[in-house]
Structures are given as structure tokens and as C-alpha cells.
Amino acid sequence: MSAKLPADAKGIYVIAATPFYDDGRIDFDSIDRLVDFYLKCGVHGMTVLGVMGEFQKLSESETIDVARRFITAAKGRIPTIVGVSNPGTAQLTKIARTSMEAGAAGVMVMPIPGLRTDEAVLGYMRGVLKELGLSIPVCVQDYPQLSGVYFSAGCFLQMVDEFPQIAMFKHEEAPGLRKLSAIRRACDGKARRTMPILCGNGGIHLPQEYRRGADGGMTGFAFPDMMVRMHALFAAGKADEAEDLYDLYLPILRHELQPGIGLALRKEILRRRGAIGSAAVRAPGPKLDADDIAELDQLLVRLERKTGKAVTKI
Amino acid sequence: MSAKLPADAKGIYVIAATPFYDDGRIDFDSIDRLVDFYLKCGVHGMTVLGVMGEFQKLSESETIDVARRFITAAKGRIPTIVGVSNPGTAQLTKIARTSMEAGAAGVMVMPIPGLRTDEAVLGYMRGVLKELGLSIPVCVQDYPQLSGVYFSAGCFLQMVDEFPQIAMFKHEEAPGLRKLSAIRRACDGKARRTMPILCGNGGIHLPQEYRRGADGGMTGFAFPDMMVRMHALFAAGKADEAEDLYDLYLPILRHELQPGIGLALRKEILRRRGAIGSAAVRAPGPKLDADDIAELDQLLVRLERKTGKAVTKI
Amino acid sequence: MSAKLPADAKGIYVIAATPFYDDGRIDFDSIDRLVDFYLKCGVHGMTVLGVMGEFQKLSESETIDVARRFITAAKGRIPTIVGVSNPGTAQLTKIARTSMEAGAAGVMVMPIPGLRTDEAVLGYMRGVLKELGLSIPVCVQDYPQLSGVYFSAGCFLQMVDEFPQIAMFKHEEAPGLRKLSAIRRACDGKARRTMPILCGNGGIHLPQEYRRGADGGMTGFAFPDMMVRMHALFAAGKADEAEDLYDLYLPILRHELQPGIGLALRKEILRRRGAIGSAAVRAPGPKLDADDIAELDQLLVRLERKTGKAVTKI
Amino acid sequence: MSAKLPADAKGIYVIAATPFYDDGRIDFDSIDRLVDFYLKCGVHGMTVLGVMGEFQKLSESETIDVARRFITAAKGRIPTIVGVSNPGTAQLTKIARTSMEAGAAGVMVMPIPGLRTDEAVLGYMRGVLKELGLSIPVCVQDYPQLSGVYFSAGCFLQMVDEFPQIAMFKHEEAPGLRKLSAIRRACDGKARRTMPILCGNGGIHLPQEYRRGADGGMTGFAFPDMMVRMHALFAAGKADEAEDLYDLYLPILRHELQPGIGLALRKEILRRRGAIGSAAVRAPGPKLDADDIAELDQLLVRLERKTGKAVTKI
């Protein structure tokens, strides 16, 4: 059983893929293998059933089975956050409670599409957080590129002030470097409690985000081992070395970040690294064609040349 | 057990509300009552688990239970179409098959958000229809105001040509009168098989759509009895009388059509008409405030004055 | 020369069409004729170069020439508001100043696309209003269906508090009845100065908006004479009579409200009423086809039958 | 006077910034300086009054003055394309003709917002190209992230087949690598004439686009000199060396690509490189704050360290 999300969470929380067989059934054995892989990479936490986990293509019972298997496989060695965003608050709450009972460290919630103003976002979050109660730590996901929901730094700060159970901010509005700085400054541990800020958006600005005070990253990038080493270098005050390491991987990171097909590319890399059995994405979803494969081959050859080590090596 | 959707379906297919108790649980008894109400109104068919049915806020098992209860309550007296739109094709297919086994006459499918061109829409529909197979009649829902997916008349015609199981077009692009005319002309029974076209979009242009050749309406308007009488008048060649009747209800129809709060207004009217036990909308969802209630009261008083009959009367 | 917008503006401010010849050149003589028509209709004010005025298809010099001609034709008998929304603040300011020098009563500003939060909207308006200065009365247009910019009632109230030159609110968010009520209550003349609220969105909820406290309407509906009579009835406390009158025109009002083609329909009705010489819309713009014309003919015949007077009559 | 765009255009066409003084007036002297800078960088062509040129914030007369000054400064040494996208076809045509008379090599057209299907895009382009006539070479800009208009590869091929004046494709849909491959294969010089494809989208996938057959790049990246060298290496068959060079600049390229603030960053780099006198962006537009400046400083220091040369050096 994992402990709950700590108030000072930091580091690399990997967004876990959900492994499927080629025919679309869930590959539970690959969940175990994938967790081992992430642990070998040294990740500090794991978020399951996010966008990269194809949560929208799972039934409710599959959702719960997948969350349980990830949590069980992690054996409490790292905290597991479960993505519970859902059009219905009752379903959201049910999945959240079941996940916490199964040992989750917290849940991640993204405001649903259709909220137009800070007032509307706050109203929505109040409804959800009242149902979830005080005992479930919540990571608020700010991903307007997907949800279409924009809220201000001030709106998030109001959530922090109203709801003690908010335990983490997943920052991925783009462009969003100034919003990060604003929240970082406001949650300074004096005027307001501190707040772990983990950055997503594929990690495309991660070194800049660290320099602006981010506590870590939360992405599905297929080389979380690099991010873990980068985090350690930043923590050791070696920011330039950290960014040098990151820059070696930037070409493949940028390639993975393409909407839609990016998920298929990530799963293919995870497959090549031995982390999952099949790169299958559930329908409707992208499939790599011969051009895509050749392109990926070449980018990985370049990565191996630059880093001097095999892609499969952690 | 209902028969499957006929090739010449026509008339008023009501979009059924899903009744809940005030605490959000499904009110299965009210499903029976609601079906009785719709049958008394004389509707020609019924579509369950559409947007108005809050399908996105139901778990998979609730979805199936609700579909079954509606179908059972209808006792084969009218065809029941089940909305099965879903981010995952496997879930869509599972719900569709289960619904057909339970006696549904067909299913309704809306292309998922994120499809950008006719090519992409066709690609998606090919994937879904291959899984559904030839034996499940499909109503294609064209509702870009909700989905963000726009496709051309030509794109729909290509679907008609490729897939014999397409049995109905739910037209609700707005503005869309020309698209309706284009499809009507192209599906003329000579160059191409005929195709039932039922119009949604709250019925806001329904008389004009009838005059342009629509076969009926498919909306959740809380006075389907009026639409049934209007359909009969159009069928009898009394177009002006039909439109006179419709115009009496246009003020309330327009009021109900407001996005978001419209659902709460419709359920409140259905409650007042005795069709369901509670007007509750599942969270997150709109609730009527005192101003909204007073406004609705007044619009209904005006309707009673104009039509000379009680709102509750069918 | 008109006076500036009064602090207690009310009534029907018609959104003026911009008349073109069939070849797309501006028809200045029809501007004179159109102003005469609007004055005969009894409108209380006029807004030129709004969306219905096709302002985006005019060059800067045409913009200024058109504004001047409308103002000159009005001869100060009614206040003229000039729409000055523009991607560039310098251009906006230039057009605003030139319009005021020519005799405009005020200008209308819509926050530009791309503003995502109340903070961003306020930031934008501060930039614009600082340039415009204190002497130019500003009507704030809230039309998110076009601009994609949503702001809250609270955001508008903050504008009211910060900027004394804000003289009018053009309300057309949809659905937006509650926002109207919120602003109406907050601008009560005690806790906060009063604020004229004129409703747009084609007038589709205008009686309800009057009942909730709106001060008038600002739309391009081709029968502003009806709206003027309706306003007088509301002002005389005859709300039900007012709404009875409105309801007679609701079928055509709803038909005109279709995005895109609605503009062509309005100009065609204005042409038939003798207000302009040609119904031409500048390219790229919709043209009515034979079906559209037949449909419009029929709706107007029905209107004449219901109202007992010729369409051309004011 | 430049010649018109050749049928086999290739290379780096830089998107020119429009230089302003700090007070927002156009800095015509900096236009001359900027053209000299671009020529020293070795660019193969220049596109003025694109998005990066802030075309929407210029009046019509400013638009024409700026286009003329760029063309004059280039003295026919490189072809100049003028962005003419405009809500009104008449204005578009007027600016296009004036630009061609002033010596432009062609114009760039982006389908206007609001077009929903391939049919609608084709309809729009037919209207515009009919007005422009056969003698003005047209580059079609495919930038749905800005315009919201998506069209398929097949739709563009139909344009190519219908309109001989289409002379270039500016590809910047994202993700769009497959669309590029599809158009490249279809415009093979046998089944269909060849078609220059220049890639935009900030150059974020440019090496992959070259490998898929792109003819060049068209971006506002502030180091066009790097892109010119990269192009030469690709042309010489040294693809890996080309990509090695590109990868050195990828961190700054990615940083510049941020929507909104990216323009301010680019202009600041151009200022530091001596290409323009002020980094001012016309209001409403982003301004760099102290954090932004420090971040840019650091990224440029890193670039200098990696490339071994001063940022200002070409």
C-alpha cells in the first residue's frame, strides 16, 4: 500500500502507458513489466490512466482493474496517482475512492470541457472536491490544449487556498512559463503553503521550467531514465549539465510530442526498450506506417550515436 | 423485441431523457413512466442515451441497464435507437451488440471529436462500421456544434454508398438547410437508395426542414405530442396548418434550446407533465434558480393561453 | 453632430447593414436611404460597422467613409455608435478618434480572439481604454460565439469600476440570461453606477431579457419597427402584449439568426422593404439560392398573414 | 523588379518581421537593414506580411508601404512573396495586385477562418483565384493551428489540378508529416506537375520534412543562416551533417516557437543580431519581462557555447 502524496512531492512522475495486446485486450503482464521498467529508470512516481494511458477507451471495470494492477505492481515503492477525469462527478468519485482503497497515493483531476471562465472552473472544482472529501490528495491538471479549459494563475491559487487536499499542480498550459513563475512565487511557503509543481506538455520546456522553480516533470516521454538523471543534476546544482543531457534527447522528445501519432511512437519505443509486449493503441488510434517507422529508426540511430549508448539500455 | 429500423423510417423519434432521483441514482420506474408518456404522445420512435440522455455521465453497466429498461418498457410498440458514441471503438461495439440483443432497432453513432477532414471522418466510420458488421442498422448523427466534427454532404453520401447498414441520417448541423436539401436530392431512390433524414438541433427549423424534404424530427423537445400532430399535418399536405401549430410552441422550443441549461428546463417540463419523478440532472449539471423557474412558469402560462390547453395535457 | 452616449441609454439600437452595389462597391446613397428607413422605424440609436456591417471586409479608408456617411445621414437625430474592434490597438484608436470627430456618440469594442481568462480580457481592455482616453464613451461587446472570448460577469463589473468611460454593455453571450441578471443586479445605481444593457444575439431571447431588466436590444433584425413597438409596450408595463407582438415575428427572427447565410437573408429583407438598393454581400459571402428564396418568400407570406400588414410597411 | 516565383522554387524563404519603433510606428530604415541581414544569411527568398509580420495590425496603406519597401530593398536579388490573406476578397485582390506591380514574385493566401470542409475550402479558393487571375503566382498556406481551417491532401491536389497559378505549398499543419509525404508523392512531375513544398510551423520538424521530400523551409526563425547551411548540406546529400547542425539550434528554435511570446523573442534576437533597431511588437502584443530576458540570455549563451560562435555572427 502506497502512502499518500507528500506535501513536498518532487521529481519525475512518469505518465504510464496502458499496454494492450495487438487485438486490443489489456495486457496485464505487460503492466508488471512496465512498472519494473519505470522503477529501473528511477522514477519518483507514476501517474496512470492519464491521456497517454488511453483512459477514455477503457470501460469503468477495466479502468479499475488497470489502476489496481499498476498499484499492486508498484508494491508501494513509488506513489501512484490515478487519473480520474470524467464527464460525470459520480463516476469520477467512484473511481477515485476505489483507487485510493487499492493503494493509490492520490488522484489527478482535469476540469471538464465547456468551462469558460475562472468562476466556472472554480464552481466545477468545488463540486468535485466536495464529493471527494478531505482525505483524497488531488493533483490538478491544467491541460487546455486538450480540454479547451483555460484558467488563470489566480484561479489556481484560489483553489489552493480553499482546498487543503490539493497536493500537486500538473502544469501543461502552453505557452505557460509565466504562469509557472507566478504560481511558484505565490506558493512560497510563507504567504501561502508550498505546492509541488510538476510539468507536462511532453517536457518540451522542462529545463526552463526547472530553472523557473518547477519541482519535476510528469510526462509519458519514453526515456524517463534521462529525466531522472536530469532531475538529479538540477538537484545537485548542475543546471547546465542537466540541460546538456536533456538537449541530447530533445530531437526525439520533440518528435514524440506530435499530437495523435505521438502516442503510437511512444509505445513503439517502449516496446523496443522491452517495457511492453506490443505497441498497439486501442481503436480508434494511430498506427505507424513504413515512413513513420523508418523515420523513428533514424532518429533512434542518431540518439544512440549522440548518447553513446543503446536505446534499450537504462 | 422490436424489429430493426425500416428503410423508410419516418416521423417523430423522441430523444429520451434519462430520469434520475434527486440524489443522482437512476430512477428506473420513471423510465417506464416516461415511455408511457412518449407512447401517449404518439411518437414514432425513441432514441435513448443521446446527449439529452446524459450518456456521458453513465458507467458502462448503467448504460446497458438503462438501454434495456427503455427497450423493455417499449415492448416493441416503437423502434428504439440506442446512442453508442464512445471514444473507444471496442466499447462502442460492445454497447451496440448488447443493445441489439436486448431488442434495439438500431444504434446512433456520432464521429468522435478530433476528426478534421472528410477523409478522417470516413476513415473513422469505416473502422467503426467494420466492427459493427452488416446486421446492426446505424443512424449517423451529424452534430458539429457538440463534436466539433464537420463533414460535407458528399462525405455522407459516400458513407451511404459504402455501407448498406446505414439506415438513417440525424441532421443537426447548423446552419444546415442546404446540406439537408443536397442529401435529400442525392438520396432519391433512383441514382441512390432513399435515406430517412430526421432533424435534430432542438427542432428550431423543423417546418422548413419538412418543406425541404425531411422525413421527421429527432429531438428531446418536451412536447413531442405537438411534433407528432405537426408531422401528421405535413403528411396530410396541410403544411401551413402544421407550421401554425409549430409556431405556437416556438417560444418555448427556442427557450429549451439553450445549451447547458436547456436540459434542466426540459426535464422540469417533463416532470410537470408527469412523465418523470424528478427533474434532477446528474452532476456536474445545471440547476434552475428562482429566476429560471419564474421565467419558465411565465412561458408555460403563455403557452397555455395560446394553445388553450393545460401543459400537462397530451 | 450627435451628443455622446447618455448614461441612461435605452431602447432599440439597430445594427446597420453596410449597403453594397452588386459589384461590391459601397452604395453610399443606400446608406442615406437606410438611415431614413431606420429613423422611420423609430429606432433609438444605431450601431454601424458591427459584424452585420461586414466591417472586416472594408479597408481602413472605406471604414471611415462609411462611418462618416452614416453619422452625417443621421443628422444627430439618434446617437450613432461605431464598431471599432480591430486586431491592432493603434488602428482601433485611429478609427475611434476619427469617428468621434465625425460625430459618433461612442464606439463599440469587442475583446480580440485569443484572450483566455478574465485576467487576459482585463489586460487587453486596459491597454485599449488607456489609448482611447476618458472622453470616448465605450460599449463593450460580449459576443463569444464569434470571438471565442468568454469573460465573467465579475470581469465586466471590474471594467465598470475601473473605467468611467464604459457607457454600455452589449450582451450577447448565449446562453447568457443569468449573466444578464447578475450584471443588472450589480449595476443597481447604489453599490455601483447603473449601466445600460442592450441585448444582441439576434434578439432570440429579447422578451425574457427585458423581463430580466435589459434596457433594450441591439440587433440587425430586419424589422426594427417591431422591436421599437415592443420596447414601447414593455416601457408601458404591457409585457404580455409586448411578447405577443414579438412572438408573431419569432419565426422570421429565428430564421434570420442562422450564422453566415443570415446576413444575406437580412439584406434581402431590407431590400424588399426598400431600405437598400441591393442585397449584395461582399465576397467571400453567402448568396441565396432558389431554395433559400422560396423559403424566405413563404416565411414572409406567413408573417404578412399573421400580422395583417405588408412586409414593406413600417 | 523580381521575377515571378519559379516552378522549381526551393530553399529557405524567411518570413520577415515587420520592424517598428518603440512607439509602434513602422521603422522603414530597419526594413532595409533587415533585408541586408537576410541576404547576408543567404536566404533563397523572403515572405513579408505573414503572421510574423503582424500583418493584421497594419492598415491597408501601411501594408502596401511595407510590402513596397521590402521589395525595393531586395532589389530583385531574391524573390519576395507578399502575404495577402484577408477577410475580404476585394481587399485581398487589391493588395495582391499592388504588390505584384511593385515587384513581388507572388502572393501567399491562407483560407479564411470558418471554412469547415474540403468543399468549403475549394469554394473559397475558387472565388479568390478567379479574382487574382492567372498571372499572379500563389503560395497556399496551410496553417490550421492559426486559422482553424483543415483541408486534406486530396483537397490541395484538387487545387493544383484546377489552378495553374498555384506555385507553392506552405505546409504547416501539425502533425502533418504524412500529409507532406502524400502531397510529395502525388506531385511527382509525371501523374501531376511538381509542386514546391516549403515547411513552416517554426521549423520544428524541418530535418524530417527534408527527408520526406520537402523543398525547403519558410519560417521566421531568427537564425535563417543556420537553415541556409542546413539546406546546402541536405542538397549535397549530407543529411546527417545537416541534422547535426540543426540539432544545435533546436533548443532555441523550440523556445521561439511558443505562440504569442515567440514573436517578441524572435524580434529580440533579431535586434541583438543587429538586424532591426527595436524589438517592439505592436499592441496588443507581448512584452518580455525580466524572467523572459534572463531565460533568453541563458539559451543564447548555451547556443554560443555549442556552436562556438557569437550569436551576432552570420
Side-chain angles (χ1 to χ4, degrees), chain D residues 90-303:
Chain D
Q91 290 175 94
L92 184 159
T93 305
K94 184 175 163 199
I95 297 170
R97 287 197 185 137
T98 310
S99 299
M100 294 305 292
E101 283 159 18
V107 300
M108 186 163 75
V109 175
M110 178 166 63
I112 54 169
L115 304 167
R116 303 300 196 180
T117 62
D118 283 357
E119 281 182 19
V121 170
L122 280 169
Y124 173 74
M125 291 302 291
R126 280 180 193 128
V128 166
L129 290 168
K130 189 184 158 195
E131 289 301 313
L132 289 179
L134 288 167
S135 65
I136 302 182
V138 172
C139 171
V140 176
Q141 184 178 18
D142 182 17
Y143 193 16
Q145 296 92 299
L146 182 73
S147 64
V149 178
Y150 289 82
F151 56 86
S152 67
C155 176
F156 178 69
L157 295 174
Q158 195 163 340
M159 289 184 216
V160 173
D161 292 344
E162 281 189 37
F163 303 107
Q165 66 267 51
I166 292 182
M168 187 178 278
F169 183 56
K170 180 172 188 196
H171 169 75
E172 48 190 335
E173 181 172 339
L177 293 169
R178 288 181 178 182
K179 190 176 189 175
L180 168 59
S181 292
I183 292 175
R184 178 77 300 158
R185 283 183 184 129
C187 295
D188 62 353
K190 293 167 199 164
R192 183 177 282 109
R193 66 190 167 104
T194 56
M195 174 58 53
I197 303 175
L198 271 63
C199 297
N201 198 21
I204 191 71
H205 297 291
L206 200 50
Q208 280 61 50
E209 290 161 338
Y210 266 90
R211 292 178 191 268
R212 283 174 181 256
D215 297 297
M218 190 191 289
T219 88
F221 183 49
F223 297 89
D225 35 337
M226 177 280 281
M227 288 191 170
V228 169
R229 293 202 304 280
M230 185 189 79
H231 178 81
L233 287 166
F234 270 115
K238 299 176 178 174
D240 272 313
E241 281 177 57
E243 192 158 356
D244 288 344
L245 174 64
Y246 170 93
D247 283 354
L248 294 178
Y249 288 79
L250 181 52
I252 190 76
L253 184 149
R254 159 218 52 173
H255 191 69
E256 267 192 30
L257 188 56
Q258 296 176 81
I261 199 163
L263 175 59
L265 292 166
R266 282 180 173 171
K267 289 188 115 171
E268 172 62 14
I269 299 175
L270 289 173
R271 189 194 64 78
R272 294 185 186 195
R273 300 193 80 191
I276 54 178
S278 160
V281 173
R282 269 202 173 170
K287 281 183 190 163
L288 304 182
D289 65 20
D291 290 337
D292 301 330
I293 292 284
E295 192 170 62
L296 180 60
D297 288 345
Q298 190 193 52
L299 281 161
L300 292 176
V301 165
R302 290 182 55 79
L303 180 67

Side-chain angles (χ1 to χ4, degrees), chain A residues 8-12 180 184 195-199 209-210 213-217 231:
Chain A
D8 64 346
K10 54 171 56 77
I12 303 303
L180 169 58
R184 177 76 302 155
M195 174 58 52
I197 304 175
L198 271 63
C199 298
E209 290 161 338
Y210 266 90
D215 298 295
H231 177 81

